[in-house]
Amino acid sequence: MNPIFSALPTTIFETMSRLAREHQAVNLGQGFPDDPGPEDVRRKAAEAVVAGWNQYPPMMGLPELRQATATHFRHWQGLELDPEAEVMITSGATEAIAGALMAIVSPGDEVVLFEPMYDAYLPLVRRAGGIPKFVTLTPPHFGLSEEALAKAFSPKTKAVLFNNPLNPTATNFSAADLDLLASFCIRHDAVAICDDVWEHVVFDGHRHKPLMSRPGMRERTVKISSAGKIFSLTGWKVGMVMAAPELMRVLAKAHQYITFTTPPNLQAAVAYGLGKDDAYFEGMRTDFQRSRDRFAGGLSDLGFSVLPSAGTYFLNVDIAPLGQGDDVAFCQRLVVEHGVAAIPVSAFYAEGAVRNVVRFCFAKHDATLDKALERLAALRVKG
Ligand SMILES: Cc1ncc(COP(=O)(O)O)c(C=O)c1O
Protein backbone atom coordinates (compact mmCIF):
# COMPACT_ATOMS: atom_id res chain seq x y z
CA MET A 1 0.00 0.00 0.00
CA ASN A 2 1.25 3.47 -0.70
CA PRO A 3 1.86 5.08 2.71
CA ILE A 4 0.79 8.55 1.63
CA PHE A 5 -2.81 7.43 1.53
CA SER A 6 -2.74 4.38 3.82
CA ALA A 7 -1.32 6.46 6.68
CA LEU A 8 -3.99 9.15 6.43
CA PRO A 9 -6.22 9.17 9.50
CA THR A 10 -10.02 9.46 9.35
CA THR A 11 -10.66 13.06 8.46
CA ILE A 12 -12.15 15.46 10.96
CA PHE A 13 -14.97 16.02 8.45
CA GLU A 14 -16.01 12.37 8.68
CA THR A 15 -15.62 12.33 12.47
CA MET A 16 -17.71 15.46 12.91
CA SER A 17 -20.40 14.28 10.50
CA ARG A 18 -20.66 10.97 12.35
CA LEU A 19 -20.91 12.75 15.71
CA ALA A 20 -23.46 15.14 14.22
CA ARG A 21 -25.65 12.20 13.14
CA GLU A 22 -25.27 10.41 16.50
CA HIS A 23 -26.20 13.52 18.47
CA GLN A 24 -28.86 14.90 16.10
CA ALA A 25 -26.77 18.01 15.84
CA VAL A 26 -27.28 21.00 13.58
CA ASN A 27 -24.53 20.26 11.09
CA LEU A 28 -22.64 23.44 10.27
CA GLY A 29 -19.49 21.42 9.67
CA GLN A 30 -19.91 20.28 6.09
CA GLY A 31 -19.63 22.94 3.40
CA PHE A 32 -22.71 22.54 1.27
CA PRO A 33 -25.78 24.75 0.99
CA ASP A 34 -29.30 23.80 2.11
CA ASP A 35 -30.67 25.40 -1.06
CA PRO A 36 -31.10 22.93 -3.97
CA GLY A 37 -29.49 25.27 -6.56
CA PRO A 38 -31.01 27.12 -9.55
CA GLU A 39 -33.97 25.20 -10.96
CA ASP A 40 -33.43 26.24 -14.58
CA VAL A 41 -29.87 24.90 -14.53
CA ARG A 42 -31.03 21.62 -12.97
CA ARG A 43 -33.81 21.37 -15.59
CA LYS A 44 -31.27 21.82 -18.39
CA ALA A 45 -29.31 18.90 -16.98
CA ALA A 46 -32.45 16.76 -16.78
CA GLU A 47 -33.40 17.62 -20.37
CA ALA A 48 -29.88 16.83 -21.51
CA VAL A 49 -30.01 13.43 -19.81
CA VAL A 50 -33.34 12.52 -21.42
CA ALA A 51 -33.02 14.10 -24.86
CA GLY A 52 -29.30 14.73 -25.24
CA TRP A 53 -26.04 12.93 -25.79
CA ASN A 54 -25.08 10.35 -23.15
CA GLN A 55 -21.94 8.89 -24.69
CA TYR A 56 -18.36 10.08 -24.27
CA PRO A 57 -18.14 13.79 -24.93
CA PRO A 58 -14.94 15.32 -26.37
CA MET A 59 -11.94 14.87 -24.09
CA MET A 60 -11.40 18.62 -23.64
CA GLY A 61 -15.08 19.26 -22.87
CA LEU A 62 -18.20 20.22 -24.83
CA PRO A 63 -17.35 23.04 -27.27
CA GLU A 64 -20.32 25.07 -25.99
CA LEU A 65 -19.07 24.83 -22.40
CA ARG A 66 -15.52 25.81 -23.35
CA GLN A 67 -16.92 28.80 -25.26
CA ALA A 68 -19.28 29.68 -22.38
CA THR A 69 -16.33 29.50 -19.95
CA ALA A 70 -14.25 31.93 -22.05
CA THR A 71 -17.21 34.30 -22.42
CA HIS A 72 -18.06 34.11 -18.71
CA PHE A 73 -14.56 34.91 -17.48
CA ARG A 74 -14.10 37.72 -19.99
CA HIS A 75 -17.30 39.26 -18.64
CA TRP A 76 -16.63 38.72 -14.94
CA GLN A 77 -12.85 38.86 -14.65
CA GLY A 78 -11.61 40.54 -17.85
CA LEU A 79 -9.67 37.44 -18.95
CA GLU A 80 -9.14 36.83 -22.66
CA LEU A 81 -9.12 33.06 -23.21
CA ASP A 82 -9.08 31.08 -26.44
CA PRO A 83 -11.76 28.41 -25.82
CA GLU A 84 -10.03 25.94 -28.13
CA ALA A 85 -6.49 26.22 -26.82
CA GLU A 86 -6.89 27.51 -23.28
CA VAL A 87 -10.00 25.94 -21.71
CA MET A 88 -10.57 22.35 -20.55
CA ILE A 89 -13.39 20.71 -18.60
CA THR A 90 -12.66 18.26 -15.78
CA SER A 91 -14.62 16.22 -13.25
CA GLY A 92 -14.59 18.88 -10.58
CA ALA A 93 -11.87 21.21 -9.39
CA THR A 94 -10.42 18.28 -7.45
CA GLU A 95 -9.54 16.40 -10.63
CA ALA A 96 -8.09 19.60 -12.09
CA ILE A 97 -5.86 20.10 -9.04
CA ALA A 98 -4.69 16.47 -9.05
CA GLY A 99 -4.07 16.60 -12.80
CA ALA A 100 -2.18 19.90 -12.63
CA LEU A 101 0.10 18.55 -9.89
CA MET A 102 0.77 15.36 -11.85
CA ALA A 103 1.42 17.33 -15.03
CA ILE A 104 3.68 20.01 -13.54
CA VAL A 105 5.50 18.51 -10.56
CA SER A 106 8.38 16.02 -10.84
CA PRO A 107 9.78 14.13 -7.82
CA GLY A 108 11.93 16.46 -5.73
CA ASP A 109 10.31 19.68 -6.96
CA GLU A 110 9.17 22.05 -4.23
CA VAL A 111 5.56 23.18 -4.08
CA VAL A 112 4.55 26.18 -1.99
CA LEU A 113 1.34 25.65 -0.01
CA PHE A 114 -0.54 28.15 2.11
CA GLU A 115 -1.86 26.73 5.35
CA PRO A 116 -4.64 26.48 6.44
CA MET A 117 -5.38 24.60 3.23
CA TYR A 118 -8.01 22.42 1.61
CA ASP A 119 -7.47 18.86 2.83
CA ALA A 120 -6.78 17.27 -0.57
CA TYR A 121 -3.75 19.44 -1.35
CA LEU A 122 -1.03 17.89 0.78
CA PRO A 123 -1.55 14.19 -0.08
CA LEU A 124 -1.82 15.10 -3.77
CA VAL A 125 1.38 17.15 -3.71
CA ARG A 126 3.20 14.34 -1.90
CA ARG A 127 1.82 11.67 -4.27
CA ALA A 128 3.14 13.71 -7.20
CA GLY A 129 6.57 13.54 -5.55
CA GLY A 130 6.49 17.22 -4.58
CA ILE A 131 8.16 18.56 -1.45
CA PRO A 132 5.70 20.83 0.37
CA LYS A 133 6.93 24.22 1.60
CA PHE A 134 4.43 25.94 3.83
CA VAL A 135 3.48 29.55 4.21
CA THR A 136 1.61 29.68 7.51
CA LEU A 137 -1.23 32.20 7.61
CA THR A 138 -2.54 33.38 10.96
CA PRO A 139 -5.66 35.09 12.30
CA PRO A 140 -7.27 37.53 12.23
CA HIS A 141 -6.28 38.57 8.67
CA PHE A 142 -4.53 35.49 7.26
CA GLY A 143 -2.62 37.75 4.83
CA LEU A 144 0.68 37.14 2.99
CA SER A 145 4.02 38.64 4.00
CA GLU A 146 7.24 39.11 2.07
CA GLU A 147 9.18 37.43 4.86
CA ALA A 148 7.03 34.28 4.87
CA LEU A 149 7.14 33.96 1.08
CA ALA A 150 10.92 34.46 1.04
CA LYS A 151 11.27 31.54 3.47
CA ALA A 152 9.06 29.22 1.40
CA PHE A 153 10.38 29.93 -2.12
CA SER A 154 13.73 28.55 -3.29
CA PRO A 155 15.49 27.75 -6.56
CA LYS A 156 13.69 24.37 -6.41
CA THR A 157 10.21 25.88 -6.35
CA LYS A 158 8.24 24.49 -9.28
CA ALA A 159 4.72 25.53 -8.35
CA VAL A 160 2.50 27.22 -5.80
CA LEU A 161 -0.99 25.97 -5.03
CA PHE A 162 -3.01 29.01 -4.10
CA ASN A 163 -6.66 29.10 -3.02
CA ASN A 164 -8.45 32.45 -3.25
CA PRO A 165 -10.94 33.14 -1.68
CA LEU A 166 -9.49 30.83 0.91
CA ASN A 167 -11.39 27.96 2.51
CA PRO A 168 -11.47 27.77 5.56
CA THR A 169 -10.52 31.34 6.53
CA ALA A 170 -12.98 33.14 4.20
CA THR A 171 -10.16 35.51 3.18
CA ASN A 172 -10.31 37.36 -0.13
CA PHE A 173 -6.65 38.26 -0.74
CA SER A 174 -5.87 41.91 -1.41
CA ALA A 175 -4.37 43.24 -4.66
CA ALA A 176 -1.14 43.89 -2.72
CA ASP A 177 -1.02 40.23 -1.60
CA LEU A 178 -1.59 39.04 -5.17
CA ASP A 179 1.14 41.31 -6.55
CA LEU A 180 3.53 40.12 -3.86
CA LEU A 181 2.84 36.47 -4.69
CA ALA A 182 3.09 37.18 -8.44
CA SER A 183 6.51 38.77 -7.94
CA PHE A 184 7.77 35.62 -6.19
CA CYS A 185 6.33 33.31 -8.88
CA ILE A 186 8.00 35.37 -11.61
CA ARG A 187 11.34 35.65 -9.79
CA HIS A 188 11.43 31.86 -9.19
CA ASP A 189 9.92 30.89 -12.55
CA ALA A 190 7.13 29.00 -10.74
CA VAL A 191 3.71 27.99 -12.03
CA ALA A 192 0.73 29.20 -9.99
CA ILE A 193 -1.99 26.59 -9.70
CA CYS A 194 -4.92 28.75 -8.64
CA ASP A 195 -7.87 27.13 -6.94
CA ASP A 196 -10.43 29.85 -7.62
CA VAL A 197 -13.52 27.73 -6.85
CA TRP A 198 -14.98 30.34 -4.49
CA GLU A 199 -14.52 33.23 -6.95
CA HIS A 200 -18.24 34.04 -7.24
CA VAL A 201 -18.99 33.72 -3.54
CA VAL A 202 -17.51 37.06 -2.46
CA PHE A 203 -19.28 39.66 -0.40
CA ASP A 204 -19.64 43.35 0.41
CA GLY A 205 -19.57 44.44 -3.25
CA HIS A 206 -16.08 43.08 -3.88
CA ARG A 207 -15.09 41.18 -7.01
CA HIS A 208 -12.64 38.29 -7.18
CA LYS A 209 -9.29 39.31 -8.67
CA PRO A 210 -7.66 36.32 -10.39
CA LEU A 211 -3.90 35.93 -9.94
CA MET A 212 -3.85 35.06 -13.65
CA SER A 213 -4.62 38.67 -14.54
CA ARG A 214 -1.67 40.18 -12.63
CA PRO A 215 1.21 41.36 -14.84
CA GLY A 216 3.54 38.53 -15.84
CA MET A 217 1.18 35.77 -14.63
CA ARG A 218 -0.90 35.01 -17.73
CA GLU A 219 1.54 32.44 -19.13
CA ARG A 220 2.39 30.80 -15.80
CA THR A 221 -1.02 30.35 -14.19
CA VAL A 222 -3.42 27.43 -14.17
CA LYS A 223 -6.81 28.81 -13.16
CA ILE A 224 -9.28 26.29 -11.77
CA SER A 225 -13.01 26.96 -11.34
CA SER A 226 -15.89 24.79 -10.18
CA ALA A 227 -19.50 24.79 -11.36
CA GLY A 228 -20.33 23.12 -8.06
CA LYS A 229 -19.48 26.31 -6.21
CA ILE A 230 -20.65 28.78 -8.87
CA PHE A 231 -24.18 27.29 -8.90
CA SER A 232 -24.35 25.92 -5.33
CA LEU A 233 -24.54 22.40 -6.82
CA THR A 234 -21.61 20.87 -4.97
CA GLY A 235 -22.34 17.30 -6.08
CA TRP A 236 -22.00 18.09 -9.78
CA LYS A 237 -18.21 17.96 -9.98
CA VAL A 238 -17.75 19.94 -13.18
CA GLY A 239 -14.48 21.86 -13.19
CA MET A 240 -13.19 24.44 -15.67
CA VAL A 241 -9.42 24.73 -16.21
CA MET A 242 -7.82 27.72 -17.92
CA ALA A 243 -4.17 28.03 -18.92
CA ALA A 244 -1.93 29.24 -21.74
CA PRO A 245 -1.61 26.72 -24.64
CA GLU A 246 1.83 25.45 -23.67
CA LEU A 247 0.68 24.56 -20.15
CA MET A 248 -2.70 23.33 -21.35
CA ARG A 249 -1.15 20.76 -23.67
CA VAL A 250 0.41 19.00 -20.67
CA LEU A 251 -2.63 19.44 -18.41
CA ALA A 252 -4.74 17.81 -21.12
CA LYS A 253 -2.48 14.76 -21.12
CA ALA A 254 -3.06 14.28 -17.38
CA HIS A 255 -6.83 14.71 -17.79
CA GLN A 256 -6.83 12.25 -20.69
CA TYR A 257 -5.58 9.46 -18.42
CA ILE A 258 -7.31 10.37 -15.16
CA THR A 259 -10.98 10.69 -16.11
CA PHE A 260 -10.83 11.48 -19.85
CA THR A 261 -14.26 13.16 -19.78
CA THR A 262 -16.99 14.61 -17.59
CA PRO A 263 -20.76 13.83 -17.91
CA PRO A 264 -21.96 15.65 -21.04
CA ASN A 265 -25.42 16.46 -19.68
CA LEU A 266 -24.00 18.32 -16.68
CA GLN A 267 -21.59 20.11 -19.01
CA ALA A 268 -24.51 21.26 -21.18
CA ALA A 269 -26.34 22.60 -18.14
CA VAL A 270 -23.24 24.42 -16.87
CA ALA A 271 -22.75 25.99 -20.33
CA TYR A 272 -26.28 27.35 -20.05
CA GLY A 273 -25.76 28.47 -16.44
CA LEU A 274 -22.54 30.38 -17.09
CA GLY A 275 -24.52 32.57 -19.48
CA LYS A 276 -27.11 33.55 -16.88
CA ASP A 277 -27.53 37.27 -16.39
CA ASP A 278 -25.67 39.29 -13.78
CA ALA A 279 -28.77 39.39 -11.57
CA TYR A 280 -28.46 35.67 -10.86
CA PHE A 281 -24.88 35.95 -9.66
CA GLU A 282 -25.54 39.14 -7.69
CA GLY A 283 -28.63 37.54 -6.14
CA MET A 284 -26.71 34.43 -5.13
CA ARG A 285 -24.09 36.57 -3.42
CA THR A 286 -26.72 38.70 -1.71
CA ASP A 287 -28.47 35.62 -0.35
CA PHE A 288 -25.29 34.11 1.07
CA GLN A 289 -24.23 37.48 2.45
CA ARG A 290 -27.58 37.79 4.21
CA SER A 291 -27.07 34.36 5.80
CA ARG A 292 -23.55 35.33 6.81
CA ASP A 293 -24.83 38.51 8.45
CA ARG A 294 -27.68 36.73 10.21
CA PHE A 295 -25.34 34.13 11.68
CA ALA A 296 -22.48 36.55 12.43
CA GLY A 297 -24.93 38.95 14.11
CA GLY A 298 -26.39 36.15 16.21
CA LEU A 299 -22.95 34.96 17.28
CA SER A 300 -21.82 38.49 18.13
CA ASP A 301 -24.97 39.02 20.22
CA LEU A 302 -23.99 35.92 22.20
CA GLY A 303 -20.57 37.47 22.79
CA PHE A 304 -18.59 35.30 20.37
CA SER A 305 -15.56 36.77 18.68
CA VAL A 306 -16.41 36.50 14.98
CA LEU A 307 -13.61 36.80 12.41
CA PRO A 308 -14.25 38.62 9.10
CA SER A 309 -15.76 36.54 6.27
CA ALA A 310 -15.15 38.09 2.84
CA GLY A 311 -16.30 35.07 0.83
CA THR A 312 -17.02 31.28 0.75
CA TYR A 313 -19.79 29.58 2.78
CA PHE A 314 -17.79 29.91 6.00
CA LEU A 315 -17.49 32.01 9.09
CA ASN A 316 -14.84 31.57 11.77
CA VAL A 317 -14.95 32.19 15.48
CA ASP A 318 -11.96 32.85 17.73
CA ILE A 319 -12.47 30.65 20.78
CA ALA A 320 -9.57 32.10 22.78
CA PRO A 321 -11.82 34.71 24.46
CA LEU A 322 -13.95 31.75 25.68
CA GLY A 323 -10.89 30.53 27.53
CA GLN A 324 -10.55 27.69 25.00
CA GLY A 325 -7.20 26.77 23.48
CA ASP A 326 -7.98 23.45 21.83
CA ASP A 327 -10.31 23.72 18.85
CA VAL A 328 -10.65 19.93 18.41
CA ALA A 329 -11.76 19.37 22.02
CA PHE A 330 -14.04 22.42 21.75
CA CYS A 331 -15.73 21.09 18.59
CA GLN A 332 -16.17 17.67 20.15
CA ARG A 333 -17.88 19.20 23.17
CA LEU A 334 -19.93 21.48 20.97
CA VAL A 335 -21.42 18.60 19.00
CA VAL A 336 -21.84 16.15 21.91
CA GLU A 337 -23.07 18.53 24.62
CA HIS A 338 -24.69 21.34 22.62
CA GLY A 339 -25.76 19.65 19.38
CA VAL A 340 -23.94 21.90 16.90
CA ALA A 341 -21.27 20.54 14.54
CA ALA A 342 -18.41 22.78 13.42
CA ILE A 343 -14.89 22.14 12.13
CA PRO A 344 -11.67 22.89 14.06
CA VAL A 345 -9.45 24.99 11.78
CA SER A 346 -6.28 23.28 13.07
CA ALA A 347 -7.34 20.37 10.82
CA PHE A 348 -6.38 22.51 7.82
CA TYR A 349 -2.81 23.08 9.05
CA ALA A 350 0.10 20.70 8.50
CA GLU A 351 2.76 22.44 10.54
CA GLY A 352 1.92 25.68 12.27
CA ALA A 353 -1.46 24.76 13.69
CA VAL A 354 -3.57 27.61 14.93
CA ARG A 355 -5.70 26.06 17.69
CA ASN A 356 -8.13 28.77 18.59
CA VAL A 357 -10.32 29.05 15.48
CA VAL A 358 -13.49 27.13 14.63
CA ARG A 359 -15.25 27.12 11.24
CA PHE A 360 -19.04 27.21 10.77
CA CYS A 361 -20.87 26.83 7.43
CA PHE A 362 -23.58 29.52 7.21
CA ALA A 363 -24.95 28.46 3.77
CA LYS A 364 -28.07 27.14 5.49
CA HIS A 365 -31.74 28.05 5.85
CA ASP A 366 -32.56 30.74 8.42
CA ALA A 367 -34.32 28.15 10.59
CA THR A 368 -31.17 25.98 10.65
CA LEU A 369 -28.94 28.91 11.60
CA ASP A 370 -31.42 30.09 14.26
CA LYS A 371 -31.58 26.62 15.78
CA ALA A 372 -27.77 26.54 15.96
CA LEU A 373 -27.75 29.97 17.61
CA GLU A 374 -30.35 28.85 20.17
CA ARG A 375 -28.12 25.95 21.11
CA LEU A 376 -24.98 28.06 21.18
CA ALA A 377 -26.69 30.44 23.60
CA ALA A 378 -25.70 28.00 26.34
CA LEU A 379 -22.14 29.14 25.75
CA ARG A 380 -23.04 32.84 25.92
CA VAL A 381 -20.01 34.89 26.83
CA LYS A 382 -20.63 37.07 29.82
CA GLY A 383 -19.26 40.47 29.16
C1 LIG B 1 -10.79 25.18 -1.85
C2 LIG B 1 -11.57 24.10 -2.53
N1 LIG B 1 -11.06 23.51 -3.63
C3 LIG B 1 -11.73 22.52 -4.28
C4 LIG B 1 -12.95 22.09 -3.82
C5 LIG B 1 -13.63 20.97 -4.54
O1 LIG B 1 -14.22 21.39 -5.75
P1 LIG B 1 -14.98 20.34 -6.65
O2 LIG B 1 -16.18 19.86 -5.90
O3 LIG B 1 -15.33 21.08 -7.92
O4 LIG B 1 -14.02 19.21 -6.92
C6 LIG B 1 -13.51 22.68 -2.67
C7 LIG B 1 -14.78 22.19 -2.11
O5 LIG B 1 -15.15 22.48 -1.01
C8 LIG B 1 -12.80 23.71 -2.02
O6 LIG B 1 -13.29 24.32 -0.93
Side-chain angles (χ1 to χ4, degrees), residues 46-294:
E47 281 163 19
V49 168
V50 175
W53 179 253
N54 286 282
Q55 309 306 334
Y56 293 128
M59 189 267 279
M60 294 296 282
L62 290 192
E64 69 252 43
L65 177 53
R66 296 166 76 199
Q67 179 61 60
T69 302
T71 307
H72 182 86
F73 288 106
R74 181 188 306 120
H75 175 66
W76 285 101
Q77 296 177 10
L79 295 169
E80 291 297 334
L81 296 155
D82 173 352
E84 302 222 339
E86 299 188 306
V87 179
M88 177 172 76
I89 308 308
T90 55
S91 295
T94 310
E95 186 217 313
I97 294 163
L101 290 167
M102 285 191 209
I104 293 164
V105 176
S106 300
D109 286 341
E110 292 181 359
V111 180
V112 175
L113 295 168
F114 301 82
E115 55 168 4
M117 70 200 144
Y118 187 58
D119 60 346
Y121 290 1
L122 188 53
L124 291 175
V125 166
R126 291 209 163 112
R127 200 65 189 86
I131 314 282
K133 293 283 158 184
F134 298 105
V135 174
T136 300
L137 309 176
T138 50
H141 299 300
F142 299 98
L144 303 184
S145 78
E146 173 130 30
E147 199 192 351
L149 291 181
K151 270 197 202 138
F153 277 77
S154 88
K156 287 193 185 159
T157 306
K158 177 53 75 69
V160 306
L161 180 43
F162 181 60
N163 175 214
N164 183 33
L166 179 62
N167 171 15
T169 66
T171 310
N172 193 7
F173 287 95
S174 68
D177 277 342
L178 297 182
D179 286 337
L180 183 65
L181 179 57
S183 73
F184 273 87
C185 290
I186 293 164
R187 201 177 319 150
H188 293 271
D189 194 21
V191 176
I193 302 169
C194 289
D195 180 344
D196 286 359
V197 300
W198 295 103
E199 60 205 334
H200 267 298
V201 193
V202 287
F203 308 130
D204 306 313
H206 293 293
R207 281 276 179 94
H208 171 74
K209 293 176 276 304
L211 188 63
M212 186 181 235
S213 68
R214 310 317 281 186
M217 292 306 291
R218 179 66 173 79
E219 305 299 313
R220 61 173 67 256
T221 300
V222 178
K223 174 178 167 63
I224 297 172
S225 298
S226 168
K229 298 297 187 293
I230 295 177
F231 299 108
S232 319
L233 295 163
T234 58
W236 273 25
K237 305 298 277 190
V238 177
M240 286 81 76
V241 184
M242 290 145 265
E246 208 183 315
L247 270 172
M248 185 54 85
R249 269 191 291 277
V250 193
L251 298 172
K253 297 264 166 52
H255 169 63
Q256 181 169 12
Y257 295 120
I258 302 177
T259 60
F260 181 56
T261 52
T262 297
N265 4 72
L266 297 183
Q267 290 195 50
V270 172
Y272 159 82
L274 288 176
K276 278 168 79 74
D277 59 16
D278 290 10
Y280 165 74
F281 296 94
E282 304 295 0
M284 178 264 286
R285 277 192 271 278
T286 306
D287 287 349
F288 283 127
Q289 185 173 319
R290 204 189 52 75
S291 298
R292 176 200 66 172
D293 292 344
R294 185 182 189 95

